[in-house]
Amino acid sequence: QVPLVESGGGSVQAGGTLSLSCRASGYTYSYNALGWFRQAPGKEREGVAALYTSDDSPFYANSVLGRFVISQDKARNTVYLQMNKLKPEDTAMYYCAAGQVTRLLNPSEYNSWGQGTQVTVSS
């Protein structure tokens, strides 16, 4: 497993913007993908955005397509999530994850998780 440290998040009104970052340490060769997931109370954890570290190809959940942008800084082993045009339904705990995966938005394929950061969007 790879230690992951998240930062960012917070509270914002609908239509606002927030940014998340997640830095991986340790054996960074042990994963081929980095992703962001979220979990709202009473709901299952769902994939939001992820990318393969080798080619930066992003993949997004339909619910955030066109509003969220995932990117990485390979030199810093850091992945970012820029969240624009936020909606109340985006409210959740957001988690960064790393793993050797074949399906980018499938949380069961990731074996390293951050501690989570809360995002709250008010209407």
Side-chain angles (χ1 to χ4, degrees), residues 35-73:
W36 288 97
F37 297 79
R38 66 187 181 188
Q39 188 167 17
K43 295 188 177 181
E44 293 186 353
R45 190 169 297 188
E46 63 174 353
V48 175
L51 53 76
Y52 287 115
T53 57
S54 60
D55 60 10
D56 287 323
S57 297
F59 195 80
Y60 298 95
N62 288 336
S63 59
V64 306
L65 191 62
R67 300 189 296 122
F68 290 11
V69 178
I70 186 172
S71 61
Q72 66 171 336
D73 182 335

Side-chain angles (χ1 to χ4, degrees), residues 20-21 27 33 35 48-49 56 73 95 107:
L20 306 178
S21 65
Y27 298 105
V48 175
D56 287 323
D73 182 335
Y95 298 90

Side-chain angles (χ1 to χ4, degrees), residues 6 10-11 16 21 28 49 58-59 65 74 97 104:
E6 300 158 355
S11 298
S21 65
T28 57
F59 195 80
L65 191 62
K74 292 183 180 180
L104 280 172

Side-chain angles (χ1 to χ4, degrees), residues 4-8 36-37 93-96 113-118:
L4 299 169
V5 179
E6 300 158 355
S7 60
W36 288 97
F37 297 79
M93 186 71 77
Y94 282 70
Y95 298 90
C96 170
W113 293 87
Q115 77 281 5
T117 185
Q118 180 68 37

Side-chain angles (χ1 to χ4, degrees), residues 37 45 100-101 103-111 113:
F37 297 79
R45 190 169 297 188
Q100 196 74 20
V101 309
R103 292 170 293 176
L104 280 172
L105 296 186
N106 183 4
S108 66
E109 294 195 32
Y110 290 78
N111 62 353
W113 293 87

